Amino acid sequence: MRRRLPAIGAAFAGLALAVGTATASAQEGPEIEPLQDPEFDFRTGDTVATGLTIPWGLGFLPDGSGIVAERNSGDVLRIGTDADPVVLGNLEVVAGAGQFDERGLLGLAISPTFATDGWVYAYLSTAEDNRVVRFHLDTFEPEPVLTGIPSALNHNGGRLAFGPDDKLYITTGDANDTANSQDLESLGGKILRVNADGSVPEDNPIAGSPVYSYGHRNVQGLSWGPDGEMYATEFGQNTWDELNHIRPGANYGWPEVEGTGGDPEYVDPLVTWTTAEASPSGGEVVGDTMYVGALRGQRLWTVPVAGGEAGDPVAVLESALGRIRTVELGPDGWLWVTTSNGGDQDKVVRYRPIGG
């Protein structure tokens, strides 16, 4: 059962939802180091939260507790291993116009300096656009960071992540207009890179532009290996879904190419799947493996990755959870996943590292 937190300022400070060895205070709690190169026991998962509807974004606060974003409602909930989900607040979104409406409250990212600035970042849909905002959990007053990202019922991208360089990376979709992906003046069909305040870093590959890579159809997964190499998952159209190694300024070919094209003008994917096997959303690199959640494929793909190369993918959790939306390594060293089945049937499940 989910609960709404009535007095957000006072209750937030005293709320203790312990995860692993986490303490109640973000300022006072010890830093929790993730385990290195874990493998996970996928035979039995530990259910952290239930009764959710399309939990899309997932992030972790310095005290080890998690926050999760519901796509259609715009609610942000705090979750942990010893209490029901608690609604911290709501961000107004445009969503739920029909069965195939993919707009709403999508990705979340926690500021790398959250302990001092308290910022949480969100990717959300408005009546005019998709945009990135930031807000504090005690006020829920969104401040625009980047606006004008094309929006449509489908292909909205939506993943947010701070990279090893502490820059904010944003994945966008082509918003059902394939021309956006090759248009460097459009923010659609891209991976974007900005400073924490939304300004353009001086070392971006295209001077004065937030565009980091382009020629994408709909990227929803983003992660980095321990060597700093960047990987992204991408929805194909009817034939091939992709796992890509992301290079600054590179063109990934959409709509000219779906899957492997062999044209030197475009970067070919490391891995392709049929859309029935994957429809890949969130992805997380842990050690030398990328874990990729599959929506239509209803499984978790494990893909060896290192140095910008990839090995053969192997599936786990086939049909065990239904549609898997988001995959994140928790500060407890467990692998956390969210489902995307709808109808108050969704949950967050974590998997124990073997030997941890």
Side-chain angles (χ1 to χ4, degrees):
M1 179 182 297
R2 60 196 285 169
R3 297 184 292 121
R4 181 170 291 275
L5 194 61
I8 184 69
F12 180 81
L15 184 64
L17 297 180
V19 178
T21 58
T23 63
S25 170
Q27 285 72 35
E28 297 174 4
E31 183 176 356
I32 303 171
E33 293 292 338
L35 301 179
Q36 298 301 310
D37 299 337
E39 297 179 355
F40 301 96
D41 183 354
F42 292 109
R43 296 170 297 178
T44 304
D46 176 24
T47 300
V48 178
T50 59
L52 306 175
T53 299
I54 312 182
W56 215 103
L58 173 65
F60 298 94
L61 301 177
D63 68 355
S65 62
I67 59 171
V68 66
E70 282 193 330
R71 186 183 73 186
N72 290 2
S73 70
D75 283 347
V76 176
L77 303 94
R78 191 166 182 173
I79 59 175
T81 59
D82 66 347
D84 291 335
V86 174
V87 179
L88 299 177
N90 179 270
L91 295 171
E92 184 177 353
V93 297
V94 170
Q99 178 183 357
F100 301 106
D101 189 350
E102 298 174 355
R103 298 172 299 172
L105 179 55
L106 305 180
L108 291 178
I110 310 300
S111 168
T113 52
F114 177 88
T116 57
D117 61 37
W119 287 119
V120 176
Y121 291 73
Y123 186 110
L124 55 82
S125 305
T126 75
E128 294 79 29
D129 62 5
N130 287 311
R131 61 180 55 191
V132 178
V133 302
R134 62 182 181 181
F135 61 97
H136 293 116
L137 291 172
D138 59 347
T139 62
F140 273 79
E141 297 175 355
E143 172 185 296
V145 173
L146 184 67
T147 62
I149 300 169
S151 174
L153 288 181
N154 313 110
H155 306 180
N156 291 291
R159 194 66 60 185
L160 299 179
F162 280 95
D165 54 5
D166 287 340
K167 304 300 183 185
L168 180 61
Y169 291 79
I170 305 158
T171 76
T172 73
D174 67 10
N176 279 335
D177 182 351
T178 59
N180 284 331
S181 299
Q182 293 293 324
D183 180 0
L184 293 178
E185 298 300 317
S186 169
L187 299 180
K190 311 292 191 299
I191 295 176
L192 310 175
R193 177 180 184 256
V194 298
N195 294 314
D197 62 0
S199 60
V200 175
E202 292 183 358
D203 60 346
N204 266 15
I206 301 173
S209 171
V211 172
Y212 190 76
S213 63
Y214 65 107
H216 298 291
R217 183 173 182 266
N218 192 18
V219 176
Q220 288 191 5
L222 192 63
S223 190
W224 289 261
D227 55 5
E229 298 296 331
M230 181 178 173
Y231 304 90
T233 59
E234 182 164 347
F235 287 84
Q237 184 173 32
N238 298 314
T239 309
W240 298 115
D241 294 325
E242 301 176 2
L243 172 64
N244 285 296
H245 174 226
I246 302 301
R247 309 171 191 170
N251 185 346
Y252 289 80
W254 179 255
E256 304 303 324
V257 178
E258 179 185 3
T260 301
D263 187 329
E265 184 177 351
Y266 309 122
V267 178
D268 281 339
L270 299 178
V271 175
T272 59
W273 297 274
T274 67
T275 55
E277 293 175 307
S279 299
S281 186
E284 179 81 318
V285 178
V286 184
D288 60 0
T289 301
M290 187 165 186
Y291 298 88
V292 177
L295 293 169
R296 186 178 173 193
Q298 299 192 14
R299 67 198 75 180
L300 185 71
W301 287 102
T302 68
V303 187
V305 292
E309 301 293 337
D312 294 331
V314 175
V316 297
L317 298 178
E318 294 186 68
S319 301
L321 299 176
R323 294 160 57 87
I324 297 177
R325 172 71 65 181
T326 295
V327 187
E328 297 283 348
L329 180 68
D332 53 3
W334 295 49
L335 193 71
W336 294 50
V337 303
T338 77
T339 68
S340 196
N341 299 309
D344 296 326
Q345 300 300 308
D346 286 315
K347 54 189 174 181
V348 180
V349 183
R350 64 176 189 154
Y351 294 91
R352 180 193 306 273
I354 296 172

